Structures are given as C-alpha cells and as structure tokens.
Amino acid sequence: MKMKKMILGIVAATAVLTLAACGSDKKAEPNHYVDQIKDKGTLTVALNPEFAPFEFQVIKDGKNTIVGSDIDLANEIGKALGVKVKFQAMDFNNVLASVESGKADIAISGISATPDRQKAYDFSTSYYTAQNVMIVQKSQADAYQNLAAFDGKKVAAQKGTVQENIVKDQVKGANLVSLTKNGQMINELKNGTVSGVVFEEPIAKAYVAANPDLAIVTNIKFDSSKSDSYAIAMPKDSGNLKKEIDKVITQLKADGKIEEFVKTNFELSQAAAK
C-alpha cells in the first residue's frame, strides 16, 4: 500500500511538472500573444490621455473621445492584426502595470524604453523622438534663463516618467515635485506653487499654445542623451507581436505618416482648446 501511494505521488508530481512546462512553452511560443489577440478579436491599449498631441480627449458627437497621434498609430496596428482596438484610460504610473498584469495587451503613452523598463517589458522600435524642455510662467521667463535659476525652487514632473530623473539629474538645485496628472502640474505652475515644469517638447508646445500666460525657456537645453524616444510597451518575450508592431511602425515612418499624425493632432488639440 505504501509503495502504491508513493508511485501515485510520483505520477502526480510528474503530471504537475509536465503541465507547468507545457504552459510555459505555450507562453514562449512566438505567436502566443498574436494568437491571443486575434482569438479575442480586440487589441487592448493602455494609455494616459493627457499628452496632446499624442493622446488627449475631445468632445466628439456629444461624447468624450480619446484622440491623438498614438491613437492613430494603435489603430494602424489593429488594422494590421485584423482586430478592433480598445483604449483603456488611466494614470500614467498605472499604464505599464496594466500590461504586466494582463489587463492590457500593449501600452502606448509617450513611453521611453529605459534600461530598467526593458528588464520587465519588450519594446517596439522607437516611433518618435522628442527633446525635453522647461515651461515657466511667461511673466517670469526672464528670471529663469538657466538651470541655476531654479536653485531652491520647486520644479514639477509627472510621476513615473523620464522627466522625474531629468529634474533629479540636471536641475540638481531644485526641489522635485512629482505629480500624477499633467493638468495638475500646469495648474500648479499657473498659480505659482511650482516655478517650472519639465515636459517633452511637443506636449509642452501644446500646453503653451493653450495657455498664453506660459512659455518655454528656449535657452535651457537638457542633455541631448536624455532625448525621449517613444516606444510601445508589451509583455516580455512577446515574440511575433513585437515583429508585427515593428513592421507597422517602420512602414509608417518611411511613409512620413507618424509626423503627419503628430501635425494633424497638434492642430486638433489647439482647435479643441479654443
């Protein structure tokens, strides 16, 4: 009887290990994520719609609608995969986590493929590169013509972004204020709670165009190695999903479509702000 129980135990343990191995192999298959997306017929995209002209919200046909150049890009990827695209709006610091948890298939929200992030996620080839700039109150612009002018001052950056590190590393005399929402940072700047805000240039231009009392400090140049190259985040070992997405991005860039998307949506964001 003891021998029988022992044999049954070994068989059960072997079965568990076999099933675990099969599950692991399935996830490692190159087409696993592509098949998963095609089977459900939907590509779920996580984003933070506060980055005009890349992703922002407008009223369309009486409904609050997410638009932007990243939206156009995601729709092109959905078209290539033959599926519908579903957008999930959230705070930026939750965007990557939603991919890791499986709530979203990909994340597209002005995301930089930093070395730390690359340990946990796969990233597409970059689809847009932007410099980072400093925004201040227009009436105070003459007082903030270099980074030393921010010594002892508060400078805001969005929580969980590359801009946080830029403030820490390059505006060393300033006190970093990390906030969740871009709109909150703009409000804090306008009411004088913070003296500056660090943004990617296209997003900064959109906010300045919508707020004539703000200005970009053109004399301040951040380290060029800190340029923001945007990429799409996806699960680690995403296999052919990355290949399919890279193929779409490469073609759109070759056709000049990405720049066209950005230009069109910049104009849309300005019209929506009036």
Side-chain angles (χ1 to χ4, degrees):
M1 183 62 72
K2 287 183 178 179
M3 181 62 70
K4 184 176 180 180
K5 286 183 178 180
M6 185 180 294
I7 292 171
L8 287 173
I10 293 171
V11 171
T14 303
V16 169
L17 289 172
T18 302
L19 287 171
C22 288
S24 176
D25 288 343
K26 184 178 179 182
K27 192 168 184 178
E29 289 174 1
N31 270 329
H32 172 69
Y33 288 109
V34 172
D35 290 343
Q36 196 175 63
I37 291 165
K38 288 185 176 181
D39 286 346
K40 66 179 180 175
T42 306
L43 176 70
T44 304
V45 181
L47 51 76
N48 173 223
E50 293 192 333
F51 293 101
F54 297 96
E55 44 264 316
F56 57 104
Q57 300 181 66
V58 298
I59 301 299
K60 190 175 182 179
D61 299 326
K63 295 181 179 179
N64 201 26
T65 305
I66 300 173
V67 296
S69 57
D70 280 355
I71 307 305
D72 295 335
L73 172 55
N75 283 329
E76 290 295 326
I77 294 169
K79 191 186 300 181
L81 294 174
V83 298
K84 295 179 179 179
V85 181
K86 177 183 177 183
F87 297 101
Q88 290 186 342
M90 60 193 71
D91 289 341
F92 183 81
N93 57 335
N94 291 326
V95 169
L96 287 173
S98 70
V99 173
E100 187 173 18
S101 68
K103 292 179 180 178
D105 299 307
I106 63 173
I108 178 169
S109 200
I111 302 169
S112 300
T114 64
D116 281 345
R117 288 172 179 169
Q118 287 175 346
K119 293 174 185 176
Y121 306 93
D122 277 355
F123 284 90
S124 69
T125 185
S126 66
Y127 61 88
Y128 193 88
T129 300
Q131 294 290 331
N132 291 286
V133 297
M134 180 79 78
I135 299 180
V136 299
Q137 288 186 14
K138 192 172 186 178
S139 61
Q140 299 290 317
D142 289 343
Y144 294 110
Q145 289 298 302
N146 54 63
L147 294 178
F150 291 93
D151 286 356
K153 306 292 185 181
K154 293 180 180 179
V155 175
Q158 190 177 35
K159 188 176 182 180
T161 64
V162 167
Q163 287 68 46
E164 272 191 317
N165 290 328
I166 286 176
V167 176
K168 291 176 185 175
D169 297 340
Q170 300 186 50
V171 198
K172 295 182 179 180
N175 299 310
L176 170 65
V177 177
S178 298
L179 299 172
T180 304
K181 296 183 179 295
N182 285 349
Q184 185 181 5
M185 292 193 291
I186 292 297
N187 288 337
E188 296 288 279
L189 177 59
K190 287 167 75 74
N191 66 30
T193 305
V194 301
S195 298
V197 178
V198 177
F199 272 129
E200 298 96 334
E201 189 173 31
I203 297 164
K205 285 181 176 179
Y207 275 115
V208 168
N211 297 273
D213 55 334
L214 303 181
I216 294 172
V217 185
T218 56
N219 283 348
I220 291 179
K221 306 292 184 183
F222 291 108
D223 185 342
S224 60
S225 67
K226 301 297 183 183
S227 296
D228 247 343
S229 292
Y230 299 160
I232 296 172
M234 60 201 87
K236 197 67 178 172
D237 301 320
S238 58
N240 285 340
L241 177 59
K242 173 175 166 53
K243 289 183 180 180
E244 291 293 334
I245 290 175
D246 283 351
K247 192 187 303 180
V248 172
I249 292 172
T250 300
Q251 189 61 56
L252 289 174
K253 287 173 71 175
D255 294 341
K257 288 290 185 180
I258 299 289
E259 289 289 346
E260 185 180 313
F261 290 161
V262 173
K263 182 177 182 295
T264 300
N265 283 284
F266 180 82
E267 292 170 355
L268 176 61
S269 69
Q270 299 317 296
K274 291 179 180 178

